[in-house]
Amino acid sequence: MSNPMKFSRILVVLLLASEAWCPADDAPGPQLGVAHIGGRYAFSERDCLNEGAAAIRGLGARCVKVSLSLDTDSPSPKLYPFHSRWPEVSTLEALADTPHYRELFDHDFDTFIMNSFRPGRPAGYWRDRFTEADELAEE
């Protein structure tokens, strides 16, 4: 079983590193980020992943959180179904290379946060048991 403190140390390092990227004297004004995962609506004929991203960017947000996942519970094609034709893919890299995600990455965001889960497994599989083999597969 992996050391539960390992994740905490990584998180602390990432938080400390993020301050190095944006020193206080060069810090931008207030930042707005919006999560866009699993909406149950559409306002246009545009694919829902990019319709939402465009609306979020229109609000002035510079950061967007989306799903980029192929888990068995809620893969991205299931979370962004409206006006979308998703090709069959088996890796996260291939999913990120689909036309919907390519268009998303062309939006003028400073930061993309991807909620990703390992292909072919339920999103919460790790809650019951997380082995060293699982840890290696996740890396």
Side-chain angles (χ1 to χ4, degrees), residues 97-117:
D97 197 35
T98 61
H100 299 307
Y101 280 99
R102 282 180 172 257
E103 183 179 340
L104 172 74
F105 298 139
D106 284 340
H107 286 273
D108 185 28
F109 288 104
D110 293 335
T111 306
F112 294 90
I113 299 172
M114 303 291 151
N115 193 38
S116 296
F117 295 101

Side-chain angles (χ1 to χ4, degrees), residues 33-135:
V34 178
H36 173 38
I37 299 175
R40 300 289 182 233
Y41 49 83
F43 299 109
S44 73
E45 297 299 312
R46 189 173 188 184
D47 74 273
C48 59
L49 176 63
N50 286 290
E51 177 187 70
I56 291 165
R57 189 62 194 99
L59 293 172
R62 304 294 300 172
C63 173
V64 64
K65 177 182 177 183
V66 298
S67 173
L68 180 91
S69 188
L70 291 172
D71 66 276
T72 57
D73 295 333
S74 298
S76 293
K78 181 178 175 182
L79 294 174
Y80 304 105
F82 305 111
H83 313 294
S84 304
R85 289 190 178 176
W86 292 94
E88 290 291 324
V89 295
S90 59
T91 66
L92 295 176
E93 293 86 357
L95 182 61
D97 197 35
T98 61
H100 299 307
Y101 280 99
R102 282 180 172 257
E103 183 179 340
L104 172 74
F105 298 139
D106 284 340
H107 286 273
D108 185 28
F109 288 104
D110 293 335
T111 306
F112 294 90
I113 299 172
M114 303 291 151
N115 193 38
S116 296
F117 295 101
R118 190 165 135 200
R121 303 285 304 261
Y125 80 93
W126 53 270
R127 290 183 184 127
D128 295 326
R129 185 169 178 236
F130 193 75
T131 65
E132 286 185 37
D134 290 324
E135 184 177 354

